[in-house]
Amino acid sequence: MDFTIEEFRTRIEKTQALMAKNNLPVLLVHAPESITYLSGFRMLGFFMYQALIVPASGDPVLVVRDVEQPTADITSWVKERSVYIDIEDPINATQRALKKMGLDGATIGVEYSTWFLTLDRYETLKRLLPNAKFVREPNIVRELRLIKSPAEVEYLRRASRIAEKMVDAAFKASKVGASERDIASAITVAQIQSGGDGHLEPILMTGPRTRELHGTWTDRILEQGDSVYMELNGVVKGYWSKILRTGVLGKPSDHVRKASEVILAALNDGISRMRTGAHAGEIDDALRQPVLKAGLRKSYYHRVGYTMGQLYPPSSGEYLREMMSGDTWTLEAGQVFHMLVIGGGVGFSETVLVTDNGPDILTRYPRQLIEL
């Protein structure tokens, strides 16, 4: 298991305390990140139906596909399971478990903010449990996941070291005559050899493609003067750390140099403000407004900071908190954010832990325009 049983039990106890506060006798969890957070169960087959049933007291029940039980044996501390096979509707396993627990007529808190409970399955749940009352739960597990434990932070630190090695390998492979595919290969080798888990393909663009936001590698051949833009993820035990860097083959143009100066100054200023009690909107202004004032973008509406933690593809951000202009919420110690500033084909970012004393920057690759 990736954490001690004591840590998992503490998470369950906190979940059940919040359930009691919200008068929920049972919580039905479908988000794979939340299932892993509470049970430890982690596997590649998360695209198939799975669920965790958390009662008001006692241990949870894992709803799992039959062929995934060996993985559950290894990764999860939860012993009680409701198993389904591929020739049946998996919702039957959830219905059987709730009936066995005497909760098939209870008020059931359901996660609405997950891609993994489809409308079809939700309708099936309601049909198979006609006496139950389904309500939207107040993001109980999502809110608990926001504050990282020391063990979680350690995984994020390790993931940050891996991300740095991936960036370094990418820049070393960035040469005139090399292809974006060559760079992507170097990134993947560094990821695996440095101890990283698998994840999404890297965001990687060069030359005129650097104004894309989420592009990945092509067969494009690098030329002198090209910018190399990458956003890479180091992953350890499912915990993701992000880093965004920009380099240039040869001498950078005046535009790239000036854009880098503006963006780096904004990023430095914004990160320096990150501490317990800081207002997200003020940090957002420090990151966003200099880019607009410098004319690097005509508009800047997307997020400049969002939480990171344990993730499953296709998402590469936790997004439990997102920094946008005008936000009034405040930062808390133990939250981890990906802080990024992008404009004019140039971008830089860091993964940052919030503490009472200020920012703890987890990613430590040189924060500068890299001349290759």
Side-chain angles (χ1 to χ4, degrees), residues 159-168 170-171 187 202-204 229-234 240-246 267 306 308 316 337-340 347-352 361-368 370:
S160 298
R161 301 291 80 75
I162 291 166
E164 294 157 6
K165 292 178 181 179
M166 293 164 67
V167 171
D168 194 56
F171 279 140
I187 290 169
I203 292 175
L204 172 65
Y229 175 110
M230 68 191 79
E231 182 181 304
L232 305 181
N233 304 290
W240 295 47
S241 176
K242 277 182 177 292
I243 187 169
L244 168 58
R245 288 294 186 269
T246 303
L267 185 61
Y306 51 86
M308 297 295 293
S316 63
F337 288 87
H338 179 224
M339 307 299 295
L340 66 160
F348 296 91
S349 78
E350 305 288 5
T351 296
V352 183
I361 303 171
L362 302 184
T363 42
R364 297 176 181 173
Y365 196 85
R367 196 184 314 155
Q368 63 190 51
I370 304 296

Side-chain angles (χ1 to χ4, degrees), residues 222-290:
L222 275 66
E223 302 174 0
Q224 187 71 14
D226 277 349
S227 291
V228 179
Y229 175 110
M230 68 191 79
E231 182 181 304
L232 305 181
N233 304 290
V235 184
V236 172
K237 304 296 184 182
Y239 283 80
W240 295 47
S241 176
K242 277 182 177 292
I243 187 169
L244 168 58
R245 288 294 186 269
T246 303
V248 62
L249 272 65
K251 184 179 179 180
S253 66
D254 288 343
H255 165 77
V256 169
R257 186 179 297 280
K258 290 178 181 177
S260 297
E261 290 173 355
V262 170
I263 288 171
L264 286 167
L267 185 61
N268 293 341
D269 184 21
I271 290 175
S272 72
R273 299 167 183 256
M274 297 178 69
R275 56 180 41 81
T276 303
H279 287 269
E282 294 177 5
I283 297 171
D284 181 278
D285 286 343
L287 295 165
R288 191 185 307 272
Q289 293 306 317

Side-chain angles (χ1 to χ4, degrees), residues 151-211:
E152 290 179 291
V153 171
E154 179 57 30
Y155 285 146
L156 286 161
R157 289 191 193 281
R158 287 170 53 186
S160 298
R161 301 291 80 75
I162 291 166
E164 294 157 6
K165 292 178 181 179
M166 293 164 67
V167 171
D168 194 56
F171 279 140
K172 287 178 178 177
S174 298
K175 302 175 182 178
V176 173
S179 70
E180 291 178 348
R181 189 175 298 275
D182 294 330
I183 303 172
S185 296
I187 290 169
T188 303
V189 170
Q191 166 211 333
I192 295 171
Q193 291 186 343
S194 59
D197 297 346
H199 58 75
L200 296 171
E201 61 267 28
I203 292 175
L204 172 65
M205 295 89 72
T206 66
R209 298 186 59 238
T210 56
R211 291 182 183 269

Side-chain angles (χ1 to χ4, degrees), residues 27 48 154 186 346:
L27 183 66
M48 297 295 286
E154 179 57 30
V346 175

